[in-house]
């Protein structure tokens, strides 16, 4: 009996284990009961190890992606740097073009606002090699019917006059050159004088007697006496004035940044410029307001409007030397020519 | 059949019974279950290999004790069932109980150290395991689990090939006498 038992003991055990599991299955199926306790133990037993495995796996993955996977990063970095350099170059080109378009828009606006007056836009292509000579070269010449002594301006103010004309270029004498002289007058007192270059960046206004009251910030306009510049164009503002012998020493701050000129307008007439009466340019004035505020802010605000630039373009001044007008400035409509 | 599977038949055999260091079987079975569950989330390729089945077969044929092989298979199978979501506990348990018992009985009669015999043994036991499982599911759960598909054949081949390498690795855990 014992021999039979020992011989069949494994089979009997197998049958018992199988039967027990079948009963367990039957219990689950019949009662629709889940043996949650076994699952709970199994999950409790195995999930910490799985969590550890996941952590180890992600750590190895992190090491891989952080170090080993970086072997192409240097090449990528080089390529991206190259791309960045090209994009920067392209960006500079576009910025330059945008800036040029902005300047040309200002010129076009000015030209449209003075449609009656013949004028020609020109580009500054060079300057004098002599440091003591304040001259420029523009890309217009005899072929464009230019001639000597034509006035050159920007929407901000007077630049100078043409002194030499070549087939395709012209030389412009700036108002701060020591050989330059422009008939001028004060916008407030209408006192006449001559704005002369001194070789310095800022010209002087001569022939104003000491008795004349001159305030810093006062507008200086062309008088038309020189028969070159039309009357009423803004030259600049008084920077400072002091008594001298025999005339006052008046330093003039040019309305135009003469050291940053890129595009200019050559006036083909010496007649006074009159803005159009259309709505768009109704707030354009050739002359500054008649009674400028003595403060330096007001003085600094004045040149753009005085030079006939519409308000809409005031913010896009390429020279960047004309702040926005203050609210207490006189309106352009009231700044009609006084003559 | 009974006499073929009877452990007493091994008394006359001169096939070596291998011993392992304490905890080796439990730790290996535990790792097999963890890896099977862990690798499954990194892709379906992990489904090609049944690691718990391989561990059951390996320790069954190595220890050549049907009782211990049976209990090891039952424990691994029940834990595998428990880790599943909708499997009733017992399907893998019964399958692996039988696989453990048969592997131990076969290991007691033939030499299973050669890679080819290991490959064949794993291949056959894989399909035996699948047949038992399909039978249980059809009878007890009324589910049409297939006895044979080409996918199962591929799985069995991959598992067998992997098993040969794994068995060689696990051989290093044997206690030298």
């Amino acid at each position: 009996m014992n021999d039979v038992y020992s011989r069949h003991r494994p089979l009997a055990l197998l049958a018992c284990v199988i039967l027990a599991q079948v009963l367990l299955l039957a219990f689950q199926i019949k009662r629709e009961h889940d043996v949650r306790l076994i699952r709970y133990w199994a999950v409790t037993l195995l999930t910490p190890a799985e969590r550890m495995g996941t952590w180890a796996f992600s750590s190895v993955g992190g090491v891989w992606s952080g170090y080993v996977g970086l072997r192409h990063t240097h090449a990528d970095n080089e390529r991206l740097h190259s791309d960045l350099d090209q994009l920067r170059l392209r960006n500079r080109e576009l910025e330059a073009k945008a800036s040029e378009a902005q300047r040309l828009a200002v010129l076009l606006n000015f030209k449209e606002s003075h449609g009656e007056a013949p004028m020609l836009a020109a580009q500054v292509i060079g300057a004098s090699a002599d440091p003591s000579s304040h001259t420029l070269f523009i890309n217009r010449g005899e072929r464009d019917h230019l001639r000597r002594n034509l006035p050159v301006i920007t929407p901000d103010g007077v630049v100078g006059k043409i002194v030499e004309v070549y087939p395709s270029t012209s030389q412009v004498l700036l108002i701060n050159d020591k050989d330059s002289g422009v008939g001028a007058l004060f916008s407030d007192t209408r006192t006449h004088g001559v704005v002369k270059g001194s070789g310095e960046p800022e010209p002087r206004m001569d022939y104003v007697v000491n008795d004349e009251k001159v305030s810093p910030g006062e507008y200086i306009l062309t008088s038309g006496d020189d028969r070159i510049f039309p009357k009423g164009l803004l030259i600049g503002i008084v920077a400072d004035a002091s008594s001298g012998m025999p005339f006052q020493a008046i330093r003039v701050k040019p309305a135009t940044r003469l050291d940053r000129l890129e595009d200019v307008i050559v006036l083909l007439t010496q007649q006074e410029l009159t803005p159009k009466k259309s709505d768009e340019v109704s707030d354009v004035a050739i002359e500054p307001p008649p009674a400028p505020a003595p403060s330096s802010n007001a003085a600094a605000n004045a040149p753009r409007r005085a030079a006939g630039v519409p308000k809409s373009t005031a913010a896009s001044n390429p020279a960047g030397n004309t702040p926005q007008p203050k609210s207490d400035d006189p309106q352009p409509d009231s700044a009609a020519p006084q003559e | 059949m009974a006499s073929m599977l009877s452990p007493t038949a091994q008394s006359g055999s001169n096939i070596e019974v291998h011993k392992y260091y304490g905890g080796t079987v439990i730790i290996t079975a535990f790792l097999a279950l963890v890896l099977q569950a862990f690798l499954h989330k990194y892709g379906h390729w992990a489904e090609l290999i049944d690691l718990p089945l391989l561990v059951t077969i390996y320790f069954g044929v190595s220890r050549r004790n049907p009782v211990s092989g049976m209990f090891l298979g039952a424990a691994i199978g029940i834990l595998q069932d428990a880790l599943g979501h909708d499997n009733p506990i017992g399907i893998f348990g019964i399958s692996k109980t039988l696989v453990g018992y048969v592997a131990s009985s076969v290991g007691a009669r033939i030499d299973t150290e050669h890679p080819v015999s290991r490959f064949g043994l794993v291949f056959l036991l894989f399909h035996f395991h699948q047949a038992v499982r399909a039978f249980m599911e059809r009878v007890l759960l009324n589910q049409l689990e297939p006895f044979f598909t080409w996918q199962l054949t591929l799985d069995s081949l991959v598992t067998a090939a992997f098993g040969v390498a794994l068995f060689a690795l696990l051989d290093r855990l044997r206690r030298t006498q």
Side-chain angles (χ1 to χ4, degrees), chain A residues 48-64, chain B residues 38 42:
Chain A
E50 282 187 42
R51 192 176 295 122
M52 216 160 64
T54 304
W55 175 81
F57 218 71
S58 61
S59 299
V60 171
V63 169
W64 176 266
Chain B
F38 177 72
Y42 288 101

Side-chain angles (χ1 to χ4, degrees), chain A residues 220-277:
Chain A
I220 300 170
L221 311 177
T222 53
S223 63
D225 295 342
D226 50 25
R227 301 199 178 275
I228 294 175
F229 292 94
K231 188 175 182 180
L233 294 176
L234 184 67
I235 298 173
I237 57 173
V238 175
D240 55 54
S242 57
S243 298
M245 285 301 290
F247 302 107
Q248 290 191 55
I250 302 171
R251 204 158 49 88
V252 179
K253 182 180 180 185
T256 301
R257 290 291 298 266
L258 298 173
D259 56 341
R260 293 186 186 178
L261 289 169
E262 291 185 70
D263 297 287
V264 295
I265 294 169
V266 181
L267 293 178
L268 302 176
T269 178
Q270 291 165 347
Q271 294 177 349
E272 189 173 349
L273 298 183
T274 308
K276 276 183 176 177
K277 298 297 182 186

Side-chain angles (χ1 to χ4, degrees), chain A residues 6-11 13-15 17-18 21-22 24-26 28-29 34-36 38-43 45-47 49-55 57-58, chain B residues 2 5-8 30 33-34 37-38 41-42 66-67 70-71 74 78-79 81-94 97-98 101 136 140-141:
Chain A
S6 61
R7 180 178 296 180
H8 296 289
R9 193 173 67 95
L11 269 179
L13 276 174
L14 175 66
V17 171
I18 298 291
Q21 292 185 75
V22 169
L24 185 64
L25 272 172
Q28 294 171 74
I29 296 162
D34 190 11
V35 191
R36 194 170 182 278
I38 298 176
R39 290 191 196 278
Y40 179 81
W41 286 342
V43 170
L45 193 68
L46 294 175
T47 46
E50 282 187 42
R51 192 176 295 122
M52 216 160 64
T54 304
W55 175 81
F57 218 71
S58 61
Chain B
L5 296 177
S6 170
T8 54
F30 179 79
L33 285 165
V34 169
F38 177 72
K41 71 178 182 181
Y42 288 101
V67 175
M70 172 185 71
F71 279 114
I78 287 172
L79 283 172
D81 279 325
L83 290 175
H85 172 248
D86 52 355
N87 289 341
I89 291 173
I91 296 293
F92 275 108
I94 293 170
T97 301
L98 287 171
Y101 187 89
M136 299 298 295
L140 293 175
L141 303 179

Side-chain angles (χ1 to χ4, degrees), chain B residues 3-36:
Chain B
S3 62
M4 189 183 77
L5 296 177
S6 170
T8 54
Q10 68 181 321
S11 57
S13 169
N14 58 357
I15 293 174
E16 188 182 2
V17 175
H18 300 289
K19 301 288 183 186
Y20 295 87
Y21 292 103
T24 302
V25 178
I26 293 173
I27 290 172
T28 307
F30 179 79
L31 285 176
L33 285 165
V34 169
L35 279 174
Q36 187 72 25

